[in-house]
Amino acid sequence: MKKKNLLLILILFAGLTNLSAQQIIAHRGYWKTEGSAQNSIESLMQADAIKAYGSEVDIWLSSDGVPVVNHDAEVTLNGNKLVVQDTPLETLTQVKLSNGESLPTVEKYLDAFAKCNNTKLIIEFKTHSSKEREDELARKVVDMVNQRNLQNRVEYISFGINLVQQVKKLAHQADVYYLNGDMTPQILSKMGLAGLDYHYNVLLKRPEWVKEAHDLGLKVNTWTVNKPEVIQQMIDLKVDFITTDEPLLVREIIQKQ
Ligand code: MG
């Protein structure tokens, strides 16, 4: 009788708490809200405020070796297009984001992140002109994270195979995901990565990779999922994380399951 009761409680508990519910990552922070902007410190604070699992951010190395936050390879300053990795910090920090913030350094971003209570930081390393520059960026950022004792709250992603390998070498315990969609879960597992973070079209074409990844103990993340029908498809595929510009919409759809 006691065993039966316990079983009933367990079944009820599993039903109430959707154990396999997807976690939400705010793509470039939560920026589709007032006063925010893509990759701004405010977008990180907003992602923390809505308790997203993660807040994603894109980073580059300036020409004088300082890690900075930006998505595109170029920025516009006084009507001129500048290549981020060929421009010194002093010039880059003059760039204003659409919400009026200055383009942030990674140091500033991490200092702001240290005050967050809920969200993790998902750092995307952009691919650079040489392996040396990528290695320098990876080394500097892993050091900054370690100095602030944020190792358990940061995950890393990249399209660059050199970058994911470098970061994994420098931060053995870190969760590192590969973005480029061209490697099987088996290969990523052998590389010691935490999983795959692929465009949803890759997963729709190779849905078996989700189960293969899970069988290998890997996690599956997918980007950038904004449309309700695709959000539903990714939930049905049982991915672990959904990276989105619409974190509240994704949450609403997950909660309806
Ligand atoms: Mg990104």
Side-chain angles (χ1 to χ4, degrees):
M1 190 66 181
K2 269 186 182 170
K3 261 190 185 167
K4 206 176 160 190
N5 283 345
L6 186 67
L7 193 68
L8 278 172
I9 289 165
L10 281 175
I11 290 167
L12 199 66
F13 182 74
L16 288 172
T17 60
N18 190 351
L19 292 175
S20 61
Q22 286 70 27
Q23 302 275 11
I24 299 164
I25 296 171
H27 182 238
R28 306 179 197 171
Y30 181 30
W31 55 272
K32 281 194 167 182
T33 183
E34 215 189 315
S36 194
Q38 293 188 8
N39 281 319
S40 64
I41 287 175
E42 181 60 22
S43 73
L44 168 63
M45 295 303 151
Q46 292 292 343
D48 193 53
I50 61 165
K51 298 192 163 108
Y53 168 87
S55 185
E56 190 250 3
V57 65
D58 306 285
I59 66 164
W60 294 91
L61 192 67
S62 71
S63 65
D64 48 349
V66 181
V68 294
V69 171
N70 198 63
H71 176 266
D72 294 352
E74 294 181 340
V75 287
T76 305
L77 182 64
N78 305 324
N80 299 316
K81 283 210 180 291
L82 304 169
V83 176
V84 175
Q85 62 179 311
D86 297 338
T87 306
L89 178 70
E90 200 191 332
T91 309
L92 289 172
T93 51
Q94 290 170 38
V95 173
K96 296 278 182 223
L97 309 184
S98 65
N99 68 343
E101 276 182 41
S102 299
L103 185 144
T105 62
V106 172
E107 283 218 278
K108 256 197 169 171
Y109 217 81
L110 287 174
D111 287 341
F113 173 61
K115 293 174 199 142
C116 290
N117 296 310
N118 306 301
T119 197
K120 291 197 177 201
L121 188 61
I122 316 298
I123 299 179
E124 181 183 345
F125 289 94
K126 289 299 185 184
T127 52
H128 285 60
S129 54
S130 72
K131 178 184 182 321
E132 289 68 32
R133 303 219 72 214
E134 291 182 348
D135 294 356
E136 183 183 348
L137 177 63
R139 195 179 65 246
K140 285 180 170 169
V141 171
V142 168
D143 281 349
M144 286 175 189
V145 168
N146 290 344
Q147 280 158 14
R148 289 164 180 77
N149 241 320
L150 297 170
Q151 297 93 317
N152 296 330
R153 295 171 53 199
V154 172
E155 298 178 9
Y156 301 100
I157 59 176
S158 186
F159 282 94
I161 197 70
N162 173 58
L163 278 159
V164 292
Q165 286 175 322
Q166 275 305 316
V167 175
K168 196 63 209 169
K169 221 188 266 176
L170 296 163
H172 313 277
Q173 309 299 327
D175 284 345
V176 183
Y177 292 79
Y178 180 62
L179 293 167
N180 206 35
D182 58 343
M183 290 197 180
T184 63
Q186 286 77 11
I187 293 174
L188 299 179
S189 173
K190 277 192 191 128
M191 287 167 58
L193 300 193
L196 40 137
D197 186 355
Y198 288 173
H199 189 272
Y200 58 81
N201 277 335
V202 174
L203 297 182
L204 289 173
K205 218 170 131 187
R206 299 190 177 278
E208 70 278 9
W209 278 3
V210 178
K211 190 180 180 302
E212 284 175 29
H214 288 160
D215 288 346
L216 290 161
L218 302 180
K219 301 269 189 189
V220 180
N221 189 354
T222 184
W223 51 271
T224 303
V225 187
N226 297 329
K227 292 186 202 133
E229 62 271 26
V230 186
I231 295 167
Q232 188 61 54
Q233 283 175 315
M234 292 301 109
I235 292 169
D236 294 342
L237 263 185
K238 298 188 164 60
V239 301
D240 303 285
F241 306 98
I242 294 177
T243 300
T244 180
D245 295 314
E246 304 284 356
L248 298 184
L249 173 66
V250 173
R251 178 174 290 164
E252 196 187 310
I253 294 174
I254 289 170
Q255 281 170 350
K256 274 191 199 146
Q257 305 302 305

